[in-house]
Amino acid sequence: MDKFMNDALENGRMANEQKEVPVGCVFVYRNEIIAYGANLVNKTKNATRHAEFICIDQVFDYCKQNQLAYSDVFQEISVIVTVEPCIMCAAALNQLKVKEIIFGCVNDRFGGTTVLNVFELLQSNVTLHGDVRADEAMELLKEFYKGENPSAPISKKRKS
């Protein structure tokens, strides 16, 4: 899985270059990457355009093009993502019944296992593996947050 985490980290680096929160993701089906994703929230001005959702859309396209039942395909998918999926993404991945989620660093602000364990709450069978090259994933996040988020609201200073 280390090779696939390389690909996810590369997607995270590309997101960072585009001033997006540097989360990268790949979906692996039968030992082949069928979807690549990186956050596109700032570019699209759409809060649901997380790396995982970008990949989910690509899997639906892949299934349509190959005349496959998406429910069967998702059950064989390994999600490799640089940062623990947020609650929204964790719930979506659980609903789609992916086989497993392998992630880099934890997401202690929005994490779907750290903040609210979606998988435990929903009595999920999704297998989770964390702390895979977590230092590299965390370094990407630190690099991003050193700069400014171009889509962040303008800070309002209080008058004395």
Side-chain angles (χ1 to χ4, degrees):
M1 285 297 159
D2 200 51
K3 180 236 180 288
F4 296 127
M5 184 56 84
N6 265 348
D7 294 315
L9 285 162
E10 186 57 35
N11 289 338
R13 288 183 198 97
M14 287 189 292
N16 194 36
E17 289 170 10
Q18 296 176 13
K19 306 284 190 242
E20 296 282 351
V21 176
V23 177
C25 185
V26 293
F27 280 24
V28 178
Y29 173 65
R30 298 184 174 173
N31 212 32
E32 178 186 338
I33 296 174
I34 63 167
Y36 294 85
N39 279 2
L40 294 174
V41 172
N42 293 335
K43 180 179 180 181
T44 62
K45 306 278 190 254
N46 181 337
T48 68
R49 299 288 65 200
H50 289 196
E52 297 91 335
F53 273 76
I54 302 297
C55 285
I56 288 168
D57 289 346
Q58 290 174 25
V59 171
F60 282 120
D61 290 342
Y62 175 87
C63 291
K64 187 176 181 180
Q65 290 169 5
N66 293 286
Q67 299 173 342
L68 298 169
Y70 74 86
S71 57
D72 295 338
V73 172
F74 275 109
Q75 288 182 25
E76 292 186 50
I77 283 183
S78 296
V79 174
I80 293 87
V81 60
T82 58
V83 179
E84 171 193 0
C86 71
I87 294 167
M88 173 184 71
C89 292
L93 295 169
N94 180 70
Q95 184 70 28
L96 292 166
K97 296 182 172 75
V98 298
K99 178 175 77 174
E100 66 182 341
I101 301 170
I102 299 164
F103 63 89
C105 62
V106 297
N107 181 346
D108 59 4
R109 294 188 69 190
F110 308 108
T113 59
T114 304
V115 174
L116 172 69
N117 194 328
V118 170
F119 303 98
E120 189 176 287
L121 181 71
L122 299 175
Q123 301 174 343
S124 174
N125 292 323
V126 175
T127 303
L128 299 161
H129 308 282
D131 201 28
V132 177
R133 298 176 63 182
D135 291 343
E136 291 173 74
M138 185 57 71
E139 281 306 312
L140 271 175
L141 290 172
K142 286 179 182 177
E143 187 179 321
F144 174 79
Y145 285 111
K146 283 180 192 172
E148 287 188 32
N149 182 341
S151 294
I154 296 170
S155 165
K156 295 179 182 171
K157 295 182 181 180
R158 291 185 173 179
K159 295 179 182 177
S160 303

